[in-house]
Amino acid sequence: MKKICFYDTKPYDKVFFDFYKEKFGFEIDYFESKLNFNTAVMAKGYEAVVAFVNDTIDEKTIDILYDNGVRIIGMRCAGYNNIDFKAAFNKIHVVRVPAYSPYAVAEHAMALLLTLNRKIHRAYNRTKEHNFSLNGLIGFDLHGKTIGVVGTGKIGSIFVDICKGFGLNVIAYDPYPLQGSDIKYVSFDRLCEESDIISLHCPLTKETRHLIDKDEFGLMKKGVVIINTSRGALINSEDLLIAIKEEKVGGAGLDVYEEETEFFYEDKSYSIIQDDILSGLISMPNVIVTSHQAFLTKEALNNIAEITLMNIKDFFDDKPLENEICYQCIKYNHCQKDKTSRCF
Ligand code: NAD
C-alpha cells in the first residue's frame, strides 16, 4: 500500500478521507501541523503529501519534500496561490481539486450577504438574551439593487444565478467573460462605481493582489457591501477597515483574510489576537468574519476526498494527470499540455 501523509488535518478531513482510502489503496497518516519548511521533513518515508490552503509550499519546502522522496503533492482544494510552481517544476507534480462544489461557496457568499444585510447575527444574539428590540436592525431589499460580481468562473457564475433569483441587477467584471452568457460585463472601475454590493470570485494572482484598496473604495457608492469568499489578499484589509470606519463601506462579509494563516481553522478563543486589523474588523457590528468555511458542505468534502485520492492514484498508475497544475499553466495563464501527457 502506498503511504500518504496529510498536513493541517482536522477531524472532518479524516472522516471523509478514511471513507475513500481503502477504495484507492492508500495508507494515510494525518498530521495536525501545517506544511512549511520546518515541517516538510515529517514527510520522509511517504510517497505523497496532501496539503491545504494555508500551507506554505515555497521553494525551501519543496526542496525538502523532494530530497525526502516526495514526488507528488495533492492539494485538497481548488486555489493554489500558496505554491511556488516554478520551484516545483521538474521535481514535484502538484494536483488539485478544481471543482468540488462551486455551489457550496456561492451559497455561502449569499448567506454572508443575507446575514449582514438583515442583521441576523445581531438578532440571534438579542433574542437569546430575550431582547426583542428591533432598533438598529434595518436592512434593505436586495430586489432591484445592483450587485457587481468580480470573476464569473465556476463559483461566480453560480453566484450570478442565485443573485438573479433575488431580483438583483447583476453586472460583472472578468478579463475572460463567459462566452454565450447573458451576463452584463462592465469595466472594473464601472463595477466599483455602480454596485450596491460587490462580491469577489476571482483567483489571487500577482495582478489581483489588493485589487480593492483605497483607490477602489474611493470609486464606490457610500454604504457599499463587500463580500469576499475568494482570497483575503484581493482586498487591502487596512484600507477596508478605514473605509468601514469612515462609513464608506456599509458592511463586509469576509470568509477569507489576507493574514488568515495564523488564525483560521484554529481555536484562538483563549489567545490575545495580535493582529489589530483582524481584531478591528471583527469588532465592527457590520462585519461578519467566517473562518474560510465557504467550502464546508458534506457534498464538497466528499468530492474533495474522492478527487484528491484519485489524482494521487493516477500518478502512481502512470496515467496523465487531469488535474495537474504547473509552472507552465501559471506562466501562460492556461494549461499547455496535451491531455495524454504530463507536465514533466
Ligand atoms: P474559476 O477558475 O472557475 O474562476 C475564476 C474566474 O476569475 C475566471 O473566470 C477568471 O477569468 C476570473 N479572473 C481571473 N482574473 C481576474 C481578474 N483580474 N478580475 C476578475 N476576474 C478574474 O475559479 P472558481 O472555482 O470559481 O474559484 C474562484 C476562487 O474562489 C478561487 O480562486 C479560490 O480563491 C476561491 N475559493 C474559495 C473557497 C472558500 O472556501 N472560501 C473555496 C473554493 C474556492
Side-chain angles (χ1 to χ4, degrees):
M1 261 197 190
K2 299 281 184 196
K3 283 180 72 181
I4 304 178
C5 71
F6 262 60
Y7 283 89
D8 199 11
T9 318
K10 298 291 179 251
Y12 47 82
D13 293 316
K14 286 189 198 166
V15 173
F16 288 89
F17 277 91
D18 279 349
F19 181 79
Y20 280 107
K21 68 181 180 190
E22 272 163 36
K23 173 178 168 188
F24 289 101
F26 291 125
E27 191 183 322
I28 302 179
D29 282 331
Y30 296 103
F31 304 149
E32 287 183 12
S33 325
K34 288 194 171 59
L35 173 59
N36 56 43
F37 72 89
N38 287 315
T39 59
V41 72
M42 290 161 69
K44 190 178 173 63
Y46 294 93
E47 291 173 78
V49 156
V50 172
F52 198 43
V53 285
N54 285 329
D55 292 315
T56 308
I57 309 171
D58 55 11
E59 187 174 4
K60 261 167 124 179
T61 307
I62 285 163
D63 285 346
I64 298 168
L65 292 175
Y66 183 74
D67 291 346
N68 282 287
V70 174
R71 295 293 178 268
I72 181 160
I73 300 173
M75 297 303 294
R76 52 183 201 276
C77 54
Y80 44 80
N81 53 287
N82 52 335
I83 306 164
D84 184 341
F85 283 99
K86 202 169 178 180
F89 194 67
N90 263 328
K91 288 183 174 167
I92 298 185
H93 294 270
V94 182
V95 285
R96 66 172 182 138
V97 186
Y100 37 85
S101 171
Y103 303 100
V105 183
E107 288 169 14
H108 191 78
M110 183 48 85
L112 285 172
L113 173 56
L114 289 172
T115 308
L116 254 182
N117 176 33
R118 302 308 301 270
K119 325 273 193 277
I120 305 293
H121 54 307
R122 306 192 70 194
Y124 173 83
N125 285 331
R126 282 190 192 180
T127 54
K128 283 276 169 203
E129 299 265 322
H130 299 165
N131 173 355
F132 301 106
S133 156
L134 296 184
N135 291 335
L137 299 188
I138 300 172
F140 57 83
D141 285 9
L142 291 184
H143 186 269
K145 297 293 182 302
T146 296
I147 186 160
V149 178
V150 181
T152 53
K154 290 180 283 298
I155 296 170
S157 57
I158 290 168
F159 185 71
V160 166
D161 289 343
I162 294 173
C163 290
K164 286 181 181 166
F166 279 85
L168 280 150
N169 165 37
V170 180
I171 56 174
Y173 169 71
D174 192 314
Y176 308 98
L178 268 182
Q179 299 302 315
S181 94
D182 61 353
I183 296 173
K184 183 179 171 193
Y185 287 98
V186 296
S187 70
F188 184 57
D189 280 2
R190 195 170 146 201
L191 181 143
C192 290
E193 286 161 5
E194 292 184 6
S195 300
D196 300 297
I197 305 148
I198 295 175
S199 190
L200 302 181
H201 299 285
C202 62
L204 175 64
T205 61
K206 257 190 280 175
E207 291 72 40
T208 60
R209 195 184 151 73
H210 289 182
L211 184 69
I212 297 186
D213 65 10
K214 59 178 181 327
D215 294 336
E216 280 68 38
F217 288 127
L219 296 176
M220 290 176 196
K221 288 184 180 175
K222 185 173 161 54
V224 62
V225 175
I226 308 283
I227 305 294
N228 188 6
T229 54
S230 211
R231 283 293 179 267
L234 293 174
I235 302 179
N236 181 323
S237 321
E238 195 172 356
D239 291 352
L240 173 62
L241 184 57
I242 293 168
I244 289 167
K245 285 180 177 167
E246 290 174 348
E247 298 183 21
K248 178 78 185 195
V249 167
L254 310 172
D255 186 50
V256 285
Y257 171 63
E258 58 180 320
E259 302 298 333
E260 70 182 46
T261 311
E262 198 189 325
F263 306 103
F264 282 19
Y265 302 130
E266 307 301 331
D267 180 359
K268 298 278 181 187
S269 53
Y270 287 93
S271 312
I272 306 293
I273 300 295
Q274 299 294 343
D275 184 323
D276 291 348
I277 297 172
L278 180 60
S279 300
L281 288 168
I282 289 172
S283 73
M284 295 291 156
N286 55 351
V287 174
I288 296 178
V289 174
T290 52
S291 182
H292 206 140
Q293 72 170 72
F295 72 99
L296 201 67
T297 65
K298 279 187 277 187
E299 291 78 3
L301 289 170
N302 196 58
N303 290 336
I304 288 171
E306 187 172 21
I307 297 167
T308 304
L309 296 185
M310 188 198 72
N311 285 340
I312 295 174
K313 184 164 176 357
D314 283 350
F315 173 77
F316 289 123
D317 290 349
D318 280 328
K319 289 188 178 164
L321 301 176
E322 193 189 330
N323 294 322
E324 177 160 27
I325 177 138
C326 78
Y327 173 47
Q328 304 296 319
C329 310
I330 309 295
K331 199 163 115 187
Y332 298 109
N333 217 2
H334 69 278
C335 170
Q336 293 213 310
K337 72 174 187 288
D338 86 60
K339 294 290 172 212
T340 56
S341 66
R342 288 184 177 180
C343 296
F344 53 87

